[in-house]
Amino acid sequence: MRRPSPALAAYAWAVYAFMYLPIFVLVLFSFNTSKFGAAWEGFTTRWYGVLFAREDVREAVLNTLTVAASSTLLSTLLGTLLGLGLWRYTIRFRRALTFLLVTPIVIPDVVMGVSLLMFYALLRHVLPFQGGLVTVLLAHVTFQVSYVALVVRSRLAGYGPELEEAARDLGASGLRAFLHVTLPLALPGVLSGALLAFTLSLDDFVVTYFTSGSGFHTLPVLIYTAVKRGVTPDINALSSLLIGFTVLLLLIANALGRPRSQARGENNSPSEDQS
């Protein structure tokens, strides 16, 4: 492989520094002794203890995990069925359906949040309800389904229906062929899509802010509300924990999404070099 030029390498490092240096500063100042200001006065971990002692933070954590887990289960089920359907069947309006599937991904979050807010406002004239867990849950499912469906369909794109047909020719029923042939092939995509959906729900602010109503807060909404009163080290600690948890989920999703043959080849490469 050709090595990049020094100018290109310097440009790449500058871009990475611009992207990740603010995150590093945020994590660093979550250990700052000073309660206010940006001046470094010493190292401490007491802000993490202060953080978990706050009742509003514990409530926001519970709300965030409840919404993320529930919406992930629903979107994974619906998205997997949709991805399998787009992979297996040739339908008449497949291109239009794919366009509708991609639309929640490409439109701005503000547009989606405002549209859902208007939809809930119109729906209240028929079914009186208050914004909260259910409204946020349904809002998250609307954009999570698209990600799960696309990941599952991409996972199965390299396979054809011949595998299921061969299993059925050998005497397997349709359900048995699906459970023992199609589902194991799609499972890495299903798990990757589920983790991606969970991460998106965990980090979402804009859609949640427009659909949560009053009295229901998730962690991103709580952070935004607290930042308006001033950035304190406990908010830095909360943001650092949220970033760390998100990075962990993305690493797991990336590991699950890799083809098994690629992972096996990486594991066997040292032994082959030694032989």
Side-chain angles (χ1 to χ4, degrees):
M1 294 179 61
R2 294 178 54 187
R3 298 187 61 182
S5 63
L8 183 60
Y11 174 76
W13 280 108
V15 171
Y16 281 122
F18 178 78
M19 293 172 58
Y20 293 107
L21 192 58
I23 299 177
F24 173 77
V25 172
L26 183 144
V27 175
L28 179 64
F29 274 84
S30 67
F31 299 99
N32 189 13
T33 305
S34 175
K35 185 176 182 180
F36 299 103
W40 179 263
E41 296 185 2
F43 181 86
T44 183
T45 58
R46 75 182 184 94
W47 300 114
Y48 287 87
V50 171
L51 175 67
F52 289 110
R54 292 175 51 179
E55 184 178 354
D56 57 339
V57 172
R58 295 197 300 269
E59 182 180 357
V61 169
L62 180 61
N63 292 337
T64 303
L65 294 179
T66 302
V67 171
S70 303
S71 62
T72 298
L73 288 176
L74 287 175
S75 62
T76 302
L77 177 61
L78 298 175
T80 300
L81 294 176
L82 183 56
L84 288 172
L86 291 174
W87 166 74
R88 177 181 293 178
Y89 302 108
T90 302
I91 58 178
R92 185 176 180 181
F93 301 103
R94 185 174 182 177
R95 187 183 297 272
L97 184 59
T98 304
F99 174 78
L100 293 176
L101 188 65
V102 177
T103 300
I105 299 177
V106 298
I107 64 173
D109 290 343
V110 174
V111 175
M112 191 166 188
V114 172
S115 63
L116 287 170
L117 177 62
M118 296 177 63
F119 173 74
Y120 287 149
L122 291 175
L123 196 61
R124 286 193 184 98
H125 294 290
V126 182
L127 299 173
F129 61 92
Q130 297 294 327
L133 174 62
V134 177
T135 56
V136 175
L137 173 63
L138 295 178
H140 284 201
V141 171
T142 55
F143 63 82
Q144 288 174 312
V145 168
S146 298
Y147 287 94
V148 177
L150 292 176
V151 171
V152 172
R153 192 183 68 169
S154 300
R155 170 64 185 174
L156 295 172
Y159 304 97
E162 297 82 7
L163 295 175
E164 273 194 5
E165 294 174 0
R168 299 188 69 173
D169 290 340
L170 294 174
S173 62
L175 179 60
R176 194 175 184 85
F178 172 77
L179 294 177
H180 292 275
V181 177
T182 305
L183 186 59
L185 292 175
L187 189 58
V190 173
L191 295 178
S192 299
L195 285 172
L196 180 60
F198 187 86
T199 304
L200 291 171
S201 176
L202 195 72
D203 291 344
D204 182 77
F205 164 73
V206 177
V207 175
T208 305
Y209 184 77
F210 279 101
T211 58
S212 60
S214 60
F216 186 86
H217 297 293
T218 60
L219 283 177
V221 176
L222 179 67
I223 292 173
Y224 172 76
T225 305
V227 165
K228 291 193 298 184
R229 298 192 298 266
V231 180
T232 55
D234 56 338
I235 297 301
N236 291 338
L238 179 59
S239 303
S240 302
L241 292 176
L242 193 59
I243 291 171
F245 190 59
T246 303
V247 170
L248 178 62
L249 290 178
L250 289 176
L251 291 176
I252 296 174
N254 181 63
L256 292 175
R258 289 191 306 170
R260 188 177 300 178
S261 58
Q262 178 182 351
R264 187 184 298 115
E266 292 178 356
N267 293 333
N268 294 337
S269 57
S271 60
E272 293 175 358
D273 295 339
Q274 292 176 1
S275 60

Coordinates of all heavy atoms in Angstrom, one line a residue, residues 106-172:
V106 N -32.8 10.3 6.2 CA -32.2 11.4 5.5 C -32.8 12.7 5.9 O -32.2 13.8 5.7 CB -32.2 11.2 4.0 CG1 -31.4 10.0 3.6 CG2 -33.6 11.1 3.4
I107 N -34.1 12.7 6.3 CA -34.7 14.0 6.7 C -34.1 14.5 8.0 O -33.7 13.8 8.8 CB -36.2 13.9 6.8 CG1 -36.6 13.0 7.9 CG2 -36.8 13.4 5.5 CD1 -38.1 13.0 8.2
P108 N -34.0 15.9 8.2 CA -33.5 16.4 9.4 C -34.3 16.0 10.6 O -35.6 15.8 10.5 CB -33.6 17.9 9.2 CG -33.6 18.1 7.7 CD -34.4 16.9 7.2
D109 N -33.7 15.9 11.7 CA -34.4 15.5 13.0 C -35.4 16.6 13.4 O -36.5 16.2 14.0 CB -33.4 15.3 14.1 CG -32.5 14.1 13.9 OD1 -32.9 13.2 13.1 OD2 -31.5 14.0 14.6
V110 N -35.1 17.8 13.1 CA -36.1 18.9 13.5 C -37.4 18.7 12.7 O -38.5 18.9 13.3 CB -35.4 20.3 13.2 CG1 -36.4 21.4 13.5 CG2 -34.2 20.5 14.1
V111 N -37.2 18.4 11.4 CA -38.4 18.2 10.6 C -39.3 17.0 11.1 O -40.5 17.1 11.2 CB -38.1 18.0 9.1 CG1 -39.3 17.7 8.3 CG2 -37.3 19.2 8.6
M112 N -38.6 16.0 11.5 CA -39.3 14.8 12.0 C -39.9 15.1 13.3 O -41.1 14.7 13.6 CB -38.3 13.6 12.1 CG -39.0 12.3 12.4 SD -37.9 10.9 12.1 CE -39.0 9.5 12.3
G113 N -39.2 15.8 14.2 CA -39.8 16.1 15.5 C -41.0 17.0 15.4 O -42.0 16.8 16.1
V114 N -40.9 18.0 14.5 CA -42.1 18.9 14.3 C -43.3 18.2 13.7 O -44.4 18.4 14.1 CB -41.7 20.1 13.5 CG1 -42.9 21.0 13.1 CG2 -40.6 21.0 14.2
S115 N -43.0 17.3 12.7 CA -44.1 16.6 12.1 C -44.8 15.7 13.1 O -46.0 15.5 13.1 CB -43.6 15.8 10.9 OG -42.6 14.8 11.3
L116 N -44.0 15.0 14.0 CA -44.6 14.1 15.0 C -45.4 14.9 16.0 O -46.4 14.5 16.5 CB -43.5 13.3 15.7 CG -42.9 12.2 14.8 CD1 -41.7 11.6 15.5 CD2 -43.9 11.1 14.6
L117 N -44.8 16.1 16.4 CA -45.5 17.0 17.3 C -46.9 17.4 16.7 O -47.9 17.4 17.5 CB -44.7 18.2 17.6 CG -45.3 19.3 18.5 CD1 -45.6 18.7 19.9 CD2 -44.4 20.5 18.6
M118 N -46.9 17.8 15.5 CA -48.2 18.2 14.8 C -49.2 17.0 14.7 O -50.4 17.1 14.9 CB -47.9 18.8 13.5 CG -47.1 20.0 13.5 SD -46.8 20.7 11.8 CE -48.4 21.0 11.2
F119 N -48.6 15.8 14.4 CA -49.4 14.6 14.3 C -50.1 14.3 15.7 O -51.3 14.0 15.8 CB -48.6 13.4 13.9 CG -49.3 12.1 13.9 CD1 -50.3 11.8 12.9 CD2 -49.0 11.2 14.9 CE1 -51.0 10.6 13.0 CE2 -49.7 9.9 14.9 CZ -50.7 9.7 13.9
Y120 N -49.3 14.4 16.8 CA -49.8 14.1 18.1 C -50.9 15.1 18.5 O -51.9 14.8 19.2 CB -48.7 14.1 19.1 CG -47.9 12.8 19.1 CD1 -46.5 12.9 19.4 CD2 -48.4 11.6 18.7 CE1 -45.7 11.8 19.4 CE2 -47.6 10.5 18.6 CZ -46.2 10.6 18.9 OH -45.5 9.4 18.9
A121 N -50.6 16.4 18.1 CA -51.6 17.5 18.4 C -52.9 17.2 17.7 O -54.0 17.4 18.3 CB -51.0 18.8 18.0
L122 N -52.9 16.7 16.4 CA -54.1 16.4 15.8 C -54.8 15.2 16.4 O -56.0 15.1 16.5 CB -53.9 16.2 14.3 CG -53.5 17.4 13.4 CD1 -53.1 17.0 12.0 CD2 -54.6 18.4 13.4
L123 N -54.0 14.2 16.8 CA -54.5 13.0 17.3 C -55.2 13.2 18.7 O -56.1 12.4 19.1 CB -53.4 11.9 17.5 CG -53.8 10.5 17.7 CD1 -54.6 10.0 16.5 CD2 -52.6 9.6 17.9
R124 N -54.8 14.2 19.4 CA -55.4 14.5 20.7 C -56.9 14.9 20.6 O -57.6 14.8 21.6 CB -54.6 15.6 21.4 CG -53.3 15.1 22.0 CD -52.7 16.2 23.0 NE -51.4 15.7 23.4 CZ -50.3 16.2 22.9 NH1 -50.3 17.0 21.9 NH2 -49.1 15.8 23.4
H125 N -57.3 15.4 19.4 CA -58.7 15.7 19.2 C -59.6 14.5 19.2 O -60.8 14.6 19.4 CB -58.9 16.5 17.9 CG -58.2 17.9 18.0 ND1 -58.7 18.9 18.7 CD2 -57.1 18.3 17.3 CE1 -57.9 20.0 18.6 NE2 -56.9 19.7 17.7
V126 N -59.0 13.4 18.8 CA -59.7 12.1 18.8 C -59.5 11.3 20.0 O -60.5 10.7 20.6 CB -59.3 11.3 17.5 CG1 -60.1 10.0 17.4 CG2 -59.5 12.2 16.3
L127 N -58.2 11.1 20.4 CA -57.9 10.3 21.6 C -57.1 11.2 22.6 O -56.0 11.5 22.4 CB -57.0 9.1 21.2 CG -57.6 8.1 20.2 CD1 -56.5 7.1 19.8 CD2 -58.7 7.4 20.9
P128 N -57.8 11.7 23.6 CA -57.1 12.5 24.6 C -56.0 11.8 25.3 O -56.2 10.7 25.9 CB -58.2 13.0 25.5 CG -59.3 11.9 25.4 CD -59.2 11.4 24.0
F129 N -54.8 12.3 25.3 CA -53.6 11.7 25.9 C -52.6 12.7 26.2 O -52.7 13.8 25.6 CB -53.0 10.5 25.1 CG -52.5 10.9 23.8 CD1 -51.2 11.3 23.6 CD2 -53.4 11.0 22.7 CE1 -50.7 11.7 22.4 CE2 -52.9 11.4 21.4 CZ -51.6 11.8 21.3
Q130 N -51.6 12.4 27.0 CA -50.6 13.3 27.4 C -49.2 12.8 26.8 O -49.1 11.6 26.7 CB -50.5 13.5 28.9 CG -51.7 14.2 29.5 CD -51.9 15.6 29.1 OE1 -51.0 16.3 28.8 NE2 -53.2 16.0 29.0
G131 N -48.4 13.7 26.5 CA -47.1 13.3 26.0 C -46.2 12.7 27.1 O -46.3 13.1 28.3
G132 N -45.5 11.7 26.8 CA -44.7 10.9 27.8 C -44.1 9.7 27.2 O -43.6 9.8 26.1
L133 N -44.1 8.6 28.0 CA -43.4 7.4 27.6 C -43.9 6.9 26.2 O -43.1 6.6 25.3 CB -43.5 6.4 28.7 CG -43.0 5.0 28.3 CD1 -41.5 5.0 28.1 CD2 -43.3 4.0 29.4
V134 N -45.2 6.8 26.1 CA -45.8 6.2 24.8 C -45.5 7.1 23.6 O -45.1 6.5 22.6 CB -47.3 6.0 25.0 CG1 -47.9 5.5 23.7 CG2 -47.6 5.1 26.2
T135 N -45.6 8.4 23.7 CA -45.4 9.2 22.6 C -43.9 9.2 22.1 O -43.6 9.1 21.0 CB -45.8 10.7 22.9 OG1 -45.1 11.1 24.0 CG2 -47.3 10.7 23.1
V136 N -43.0 9.2 23.1 CA -41.6 9.1 22.8 C -41.2 7.7 22.2 O -40.4 7.6 21.3 CB -40.7 9.4 24.1 CG1 -39.2 9.2 23.8 CG2 -41.0 10.8 24.5
L137 N -41.8 6.7 22.8 CA -41.6 5.3 22.3 C -42.0 5.2 20.9 O -41.2 4.7 20.0 CB -42.3 4.3 23.2 CG -42.3 2.9 22.8 CD1 -40.9 2.3 22.8 CD2 -43.3 2.1 23.7
L138 N -43.2 5.6 20.5 CA -43.6 5.5 19.1 C -42.8 6.4 18.2 O -42.5 6.0 17.0 CB -45.1 5.9 19.0 CG -46.1 5.0 19.8 CD1 -47.5 5.5 19.6 CD2 -46.0 3.6 19.2
A139 N -42.4 7.6 18.7 CA -41.5 8.4 17.8 C -40.2 7.8 17.5 O -39.7 7.9 16.4 CB -41.3 9.8 18.6
H140 N -39.6 7.1 18.5 CA -38.3 6.5 18.3 C -38.4 5.3 17.3 O -37.5 5.1 16.5 CB -37.7 6.0 19.6 CG -37.1 7.1 20.4 ND1 -36.2 7.0 21.4 CD2 -37.3 8.5 20.4 CE1 -35.8 8.1 21.9 NE2 -36.5 9.1 21.3
V141 N -39.5 4.6 17.5 CA -39.7 3.4 16.6 C -39.8 3.8 15.1 O -39.3 3.1 14.2 CB -41.0 2.6 17.0 CG1 -41.3 1.5 16.0 CG2 -40.7 2.0 18.4
T142 N -40.3 5.0 14.9 CA -40.5 5.5 13.5 C -39.2 5.6 12.7 O -39.2 5.4 11.5 CB -41.3 6.8 13.5 OG1 -40.6 7.8 14.3 CG2 -42.7 6.7 14.0
F143 N -38.1 6.0 13.4 CA -36.9 6.1 12.7 C -36.0 4.9 12.9 O -35.1 4.6 12.1 CB -36.1 7.4 13.0 CG -35.7 7.6 14.5 CD1 -34.6 7.0 14.9 CD2 -36.5 8.4 15.3 CE1 -34.2 7.1 16.3 CE2 -36.1 8.5 16.6 CZ -34.9 7.9 17.1
Q144 N -36.2 4.2 14.0 CA -35.4 3.0 14.2 C -35.7 1.8 13.2 O -34.8 1.1 12.9 CB -35.6 2.5 15.7 CG -35.0 3.3 16.7 CD -35.4 2.8 18.1 OE1 -36.5 2.6 18.4 NE2 -34.4 2.7 19.0
V145 N -36.9 1.7 12.8 CA -37.3 0.6 11.9 C -36.5 0.7 10.6 O -36.1 -0.3 10.1 CB -38.8 0.7 11.7 CG1 -39.2 -0.2 10.5 CG2 -39.6 0.3 12.9
S146 N -36.3 1.9 10.1 CA -35.6 2.0 8.9 C -34.1 1.5 9.0 O -33.6 0.8 8.1 CB -35.6 3.5 8.4 OG -36.9 4.0 8.2
Y147 N -33.5 1.8 10.1 CA -32.1 1.4 10.2 C -32.0 -0.1 10.4 O -31.2 -0.8 9.7 CB -31.5 2.0 11.5 CG -31.2 3.5 11.3 CD1 -32.1 4.5 11.7 CD2 -29.9 3.9 10.8 CE1 -31.8 5.8 11.6 CE2 -29.6 5.3 10.7 CZ -30.6 6.2 11.1 OH -30.3 7.5 10.9
V148 N -32.9 -0.7 11.1 CA -32.9 -2.2 11.3 C -33.2 -2.9 10.0 O -32.5 -3.8 9.6 CB -33.9 -2.6 12.4 CG1 -33.9 -4.1 12.5 CG2 -33.5 -2.0 13.7
A149 N -34.2 -2.4 9.3 CA -34.5 -3.0 8.0 C -33.4 -3.0 7.0 O -33.1 -4.0 6.3 CB -35.8 -2.4 7.4
L150 N -32.7 -1.8 6.9 CA -31.6 -1.7 5.9 C -30.4 -2.6 6.3 O -29.8 -3.2 5.4 CB -31.2 -0.2 5.8 CG -32.2 0.7 5.2 CD1 -31.8 2.1 5.2 CD2 -32.5 0.3 3.7
V151 N -30.2 -2.7 7.6 CA -29.0 -3.5 8.0 C -29.3 -5.0 7.8 O -28.5 -5.7 7.3 CB -28.7 -3.3 9.5 CG1 -27.7 -4.3 10.0 CG2 -28.2 -1.9 9.7
V152 N -30.5 -5.4 8.0 CA -30.9 -6.8 7.8 C -30.9 -7.1 6.3 O -30.4 -8.2 5.9 CB -32.3 -7.1 8.4 CG1 -32.8 -8.5 8.1 CG2 -32.2 -7.0 10.0
R153 N -31.4 -6.2 5.5 CA -31.4 -6.5 4.1 C -30.0 -6.5 3.5 O -29.7 -7.3 2.6 CB -32.3 -5.4 3.4 CG -32.6 -5.8 1.9 CD -33.3 -4.7 1.2 NE -32.6 -3.5 1.0 CZ -32.9 -2.5 0.2 NH1 -34.1 -2.5 -0.4 NH2 -32.2 -1.4 0.1
S154 N -29.2 -5.6 4.0 CA -27.8 -5.6 3.5 C -27.1 -6.9 3.9 O -26.2 -7.4 3.2 CB -27.0 -4.4 4.1 OG -27.7 -3.2 3.7
R155 N -27.4 -7.4 5.1 CA -26.8 -8.7 5.6 C -27.1 -9.8 4.7 O -26.3 -10.7 4.4 CB -27.2 -8.9 7.0 CG -26.8 -10.3 7.5 CD -25.4 -10.5 7.6 NE -25.0 -11.9 8.0 CZ -23.8 -12.4 8.0 NH1 -22.8 -11.6 7.7 NH2 -23.6 -13.6 8.4
L156 N -28.4 -9.9 4.2 CA -28.8 -11.0 3.4 C -28.7 -10.7 1.9 O -29.0 -11.6 1.1 CB -30.3 -11.2 3.6 CG -30.7 -11.7 5.1 CD1 -32.2 -11.7 5.2 CD2 -30.0 -13.1 5.3
A157 N -28.1 -9.6 1.5 CA -28.0 -9.2 0.1 C -27.1 -10.2 -0.7 O -27.4 -10.4 -1.9 CB -27.4 -7.8 -0.1
G158 N -26.2 -10.8 -0.1 CA -25.3 -11.7 -0.8 C -25.8 -13.2 -0.9 O -25.1 -14.0 -1.5
Y159 N -27.0 -13.4 -0.3 CA -27.6 -14.7 -0.4 C -28.9 -14.7 -1.2 O -29.5 -13.7 -1.3 CB -27.9 -15.2 1.0 CG -26.7 -15.2 2.0 CD1 -26.5 -14.2 2.8 CD2 -25.8 -16.3 1.9 CE1 -25.4 -14.2 3.7 CE2 -24.7 -16.3 2.8 CZ -24.5 -15.2 3.6 OH -23.4 -15.2 4.5
G160 N -29.2 -15.8 -1.7 CA -30.5 -16.0 -2.5 C -31.4 -16.9 -1.8 O -31.1 -17.6 -0.8
P161 N -32.6 -17.0 -2.4 CA -33.6 -17.9 -1.8 C -33.3 -19.4 -2.1 O -34.1 -20.2 -1.6 CB -34.9 -17.5 -2.5 CG -34.5 -16.8 -3.7 CD -33.2 -16.2 -3.5
E162 N -32.3 -19.6 -2.8 CA -31.9 -21.0 -3.1 C -31.6 -21.8 -1.9 O -31.8 -23.0 -1.9 CB -30.7 -21.1 -4.1 CG -31.0 -20.4 -5.5 CD -30.9 -18.9 -5.5 OE1 -30.4 -18.4 -4.4 OE2 -31.2 -18.3 -6.5
L163 N -31.0 -21.2 -0.9 CA -30.7 -21.9 0.3 C -31.9 -22.4 1.0 O -32.0 -23.6 1.5 CB -29.9 -21.0 1.3 CG -28.5 -20.5 0.8 CD1 -27.9 -19.5 1.8 CD2 -27.6 -21.7 0.6
E164 N -32.9 -21.6 1.2 CA -34.2 -22.1 1.8 C -34.8 -23.1 0.9 O -35.4 -24.1 1.4 CB -35.2 -20.9 2.0 CG -35.0 -20.2 3.3 CD -36.2 -19.3 3.6 OE1 -37.1 -19.3 2.8 OE2 -36.1 -18.6 4.6
E165 N -34.8 -22.9 -0.4 CA -35.4 -23.9 -1.3 C -34.7 -25.3 -1.2 O -35.3 -26.3 -1.3 CB -35.3 -23.4 -2.8 CG -36.2 -22.2 -3.0 CD -36.0 -21.6 -4.4 OE1 -35.2 -22.1 -5.1 OE2 -36.7 -20.6 -4.7
A166 N -33.4 -25.2 -1.1 CA -32.6 -26.5 -0.9 C -33.0 -27.2 0.4 O -33.1 -28.4 0.4 CB -31.1 -26.2 -0.9
A167 N -33.2 -26.4 1.4 CA -33.6 -27.0 2.7 C -35.0 -27.6 2.6 O -35.2 -28.7 3.1 CB -33.5 -26.0 3.8
R168 N -35.9 -27.0 1.9 CA -37.2 -27.5 1.7 C -37.2 -28.8 0.8 O -38.0 -29.7 1.0 CB -38.1 -26.5 1.2 CG -38.2 -25.3 2.1 CD -39.3 -24.3 1.7 NE -40.6 -24.9 1.9 CZ -41.8 -24.2 1.7 NH1 -41.7 -22.9 1.3 NH2 -42.9 -24.8 1.9
D169 N -36.3 -28.8 -0.1 CA -36.2 -30.0 -1.0 C -35.7 -31.2 -0.2 O -36.0 -32.3 -0.5 CB -35.2 -29.7 -2.1 CG -35.8 -28.8 -3.2 OD1 -37.1 -28.6 -3.2 OD2 -35.0 -28.1 -3.9
L170 N -34.9 -30.9 0.9 CA -34.4 -32.0 1.7 C -35.4 -32.4 2.8 O -35.1 -33.2 3.7 CB -33.1 -31.6 2.4 CG -31.9 -31.4 1.4 CD1 -30.7 -30.8 2.2 CD2 -31.6 -32.7 0.8
G171 N -36.6 -31.8 2.8 CA -37.7 -32.3 3.7 C -38.0 -31.3 4.8 O -38.9 -31.6 5.6
A172 N -37.3 -30.2 4.9 CA -37.6 -29.2 6.0 C -38.9 -28.4 5.6 O -39.2 -28.1 4.5 CB -36.5 -28.3 6.2

